[in-house]
Amino acid sequence: MAGEFSRRTFVKAAGVAGLAGLSGDVLAQQQRLTWFAGGTGGTYFPLSNQFKQVVEENTNFTLQVQSTGASVENVGGLAQGQADFALIQNDVAFFAYNGTGIEEFQGNAVKSLRGVATLYPETIHIVTLQGSNIETLQDLEGATINTGDLGSGTQVNALQILEAVGIQQNDFTEQNTGFSQAADQLRNGDIDAAFVVGGWPVGAIEELATTNDIAFVEITDETRQNLKSQARWFADDTIPPNTYSGQSEPVQTVAVQAMIATTEDAEADTVQAVTEAIFSNLDQISLKQQFIGRDSALDGMSIPLHPGAREVFGPATTSPANETENNETAGGTTTPG
């Protein structure tokens, strides 16, 4: 099953299949498409189901939305032909396409990966409970921390952020589950803090805030600048006051970008139809509607754009993905802006 796809499975599959020339084109010819989302406690899963409704009402395709461990697992699903579309983080997309940044992708670049559209900022939430004595990132040293599903984009971001303040993996006790389980762990006192990456408000945190007094650890000033200098896909972000129960002050943090991805094997007509259906019916989308639009659909695009998406949005003239393609042609490398 898709939800059981593991880091080890990804590496094994990558070695066997070479992560190229997979069966996405066969899947794309069918009326039924598979869409990998994320955990049910985050934003990917409910948003994907809203996309499902719009696509099925406006095209001849049906979408099978699957709950997964999110970004890294979803890249594996695309690479193996298990998924036709998936939601992933733009930083994970960059790592996968360039074969860098994450252990699973080292030497296993997913050159078949293609971008469809970027959607909305995925805010880094570092949540704890009031009275935990965790007020700064440095206070997380020695703590028990849920860094997200093993191999997920959330875990990648969490480890990057902790390392930016000098906290290595052997400096804390790491737990790995989805957002809903992390909220339960906080509620039960099994962990001290959790990293949750998603567009606010995240359902699992909303629910936790109704039963417990929550608090957030901010990412500010020098730490934020240090992060952005190391990884340009991070952007400044703020969780507005009263986003969650009991949260009366804004929370400074950073964000990555959520995006829709597919592979080069997907038929252009299929990608165009699905993309056009979504972006022509945004009034039917309630989640993150204020961020999703044609004008911003190429912002932060960190991998080459699929030709079917290019038919919807036009040439990605300002996309870092174009810089990537141009530099590859010239024999160089780049990083996303």
Side-chain angles (χ1 to χ4, degrees), residues 6-7 69-73 89 91-92 95 101-104 124-125 145-163 167 169 172-179 194-198 234 256:
S6 67
R7 296 163 61 139
S71 292
V72 175
E73 178 178 335
Q89 293 174 198
D91 58 332
V92 174
F95 291 147
I102 301 177
E103 180 183 353
E104 286 76 14
I124 312 294
H125 298 69
I145 310 169
N146 191 313
T147 60
D149 273 318
L150 192 66
S152 67
T154 298
Q155 186 193 31
V156 173
N157 296 149
L159 297 180
Q160 287 174 327
I161 291 165
L162 291 170
E163 186 174 346
I167 300 176
Q169 277 188 278
F172 65 95
T173 301
E174 186 175 13
Q175 294 285 313
N176 299 106
T177 70
F179 300 158
F195 281 79
V196 177
V197 180
F234 282 122
V256 291

Side-chain angles (χ1 to χ4, degrees), residues 54-56 58-59 272-282:
V54 165
V55 169
E56 292 181 350
N58 294 277
T59 72
Q272 182 178 353
V274 170
T275 307
E276 187 65 53
I278 292 171
F279 282 84
S280 294
N281 295 279
L282 292 176

Side-chain angles (χ1 to χ4, degrees), residues 78 115-116 145 147 175 177 181 209 212 235 245 253 256 287 299 328:
L78 288 169
V116 176
I145 310 169
T147 60
Q175 294 285 313
T177 70
Q181 295 93 329
N212 295 80
S245 297
T253 183
V256 291
L287 290 171
D299 292 353
E328 282 178 344

Side-chain angles (χ1 to χ4, degrees), residues 156-225:
V156 173
N157 296 149
L159 297 180
Q160 287 174 327
I161 291 165
L162 291 170
E163 186 174 346
V165 294
I167 300 176
Q168 308 298 323
Q169 277 188 278
N170 59 356
D171 294 330
F172 65 95
T173 301
E174 186 175 13
Q175 294 285 313
N176 299 106
T177 70
F179 300 158
S180 295
Q181 295 93 329
D184 288 339
Q185 288 179 322
L186 279 168
R187 187 180 291 111
N188 297 331
D190 296 327
I191 60 174
D192 300 304
F195 281 79
V196 177
V197 180
W200 47 260
V202 176
I205 300 177
E206 278 191 298
E207 184 179 350
L208 177 66
T210 64
T211 60
N212 295 80
D213 294 328
I214 66 171
F216 292 98
V217 180
E218 292 193 294
I219 304 174
T220 61
D221 304 330
E222 184 178 346
T223 299
R224 200 147 64 166
Q225 294 304 316

